[in-house]
Amino acid sequence: MIAAVADNILSPIGLTADENIEAILAGRSALRLHEGLFGLPEPFFGSVFDRTALADIFRTEAGEPGTLTLFEQLCILSAGRAIASCRLDAASPDTIFILSTTKGNVACLADNPDDSRCYLAGSAERITRHFGNPNRPLVVSNACISGVSAQIAAVRELMAGRARHAVIIGADLLSRFIVSGFQSFKALSTERCLPYDSKRTGLNLGEAAGTLILAKCDSAPEDMWLYAAGSAHNDANHISGPSRTGEGSFRVLRDILRSGVAPEEIAFVNAHGTATAYNDEMESIAIERAGLDTVPVNGLKGIFGHTLGAAGVIETILSMHAADRGLVLPTVGFSEQGTSRRLDISAQPRHTERRCFIKILSGFGGSNAGISYRKGGAQ
């Protein structure tokens, strides 16, 4: 069996998973309008780290950064905290590192188009070597689904016996390149995003890093989260638009259900919920087609914004911690159903006694992925 043994989340509203959960429940968010940031001529709504504070935390916890970029420092901070919490031997050959990111050090291109630091493999190597690990790290960079795809890749490595522990790091920082790209196809809202709401006008962007450590175990305590199922499909609809019938997401959900996850045991589906017109509509269709429209659905972009390669990792961790508390986290910003298929969405936190959840994501190029975890001992 594959068990989640440790985690961490770093975001502008918290430096642990519990701090982030408390911020969600208190309605706190770092999403705000940024004008002139990164030298952009247009303002954008997003959640952004205090760069100086982040660098100071790294010096305190890890020492002088040397040639490490801020992106790499962020990854090392998150991974270091998760590793310390379970006393993992990160330098062991039985441990593999997996980096989930969409753009990594792409901001370095602004100063030097030939900057080798922009290669994702190089970032993954520097992060891994910081912990003294001898293995070649894996990089998963598959648009918005990277964070879930990285978990599925980790499970495959562990099941194949190529490692006993997998340190999955999901992270992205915003830059002029990233924000201007989303602005160019008019995907961003100039206000706080409203997932699944009738008044939604687009997505917000955000920064975060999350680390989830998975282990291959012969047995696991009942209080651990165990991998239940995972799936990925490409609907090949369009480079930037999802299938209008939710084909890829539906197939992902169908695979998970066919793997033995029963609708009656699912506490919630944590969806992508970007608050764009097509994403939320497509997900509502896919969820209904899969027969899960009566299962609670939530989305967290109204707190964090779209955190790109970090999204699948931090939203999985938040789902674990929420279910541990017997909670379905709220979909902040939701008021009135704005999709053609009705979903069970609430802007308020709700109680649940179920101990299983599904996390789904969709992204550019028609990519779709989902993963399910079940609490040890849960039926």
Side-chain angles (χ1 to χ4, degrees), residues 289-329:
R289 287 180 66 190
L292 298 176
D293 48 309
T294 59
V295 173
V297 174
N298 66 357
L300 300 172
K301 302 298 191 293
I303 290 286
F304 298 96
H306 191 337
T307 56
L308 308 174
V313 178
I314 70 166
E315 291 173 8
T316 296
I317 295 169
L318 289 166
S319 295
M320 290 176 175
H321 282 257
D324 278 338
R325 296 178 180 218
L327 291 174
V328 179
L329 291 175

Side-chain angles (χ1 to χ4, degrees), residues 8 21 36 42 70 91 108 120 126 129 162 166 169 210 214 229 233 253 255 314 343 364 374:
N8 169 263
I21 289 278
E42 296 179 42
L70 190 62
C108 295
L120 300 183
R126 287 186 288 275
R129 302 299 170 251
R162 289 188 285 269
I169 309 166
L214 299 181
H233 282 274
L253 290 169
D255 286 352
I314 70 166
L343 301 178
F364 290 163
R374 180 187 287 119

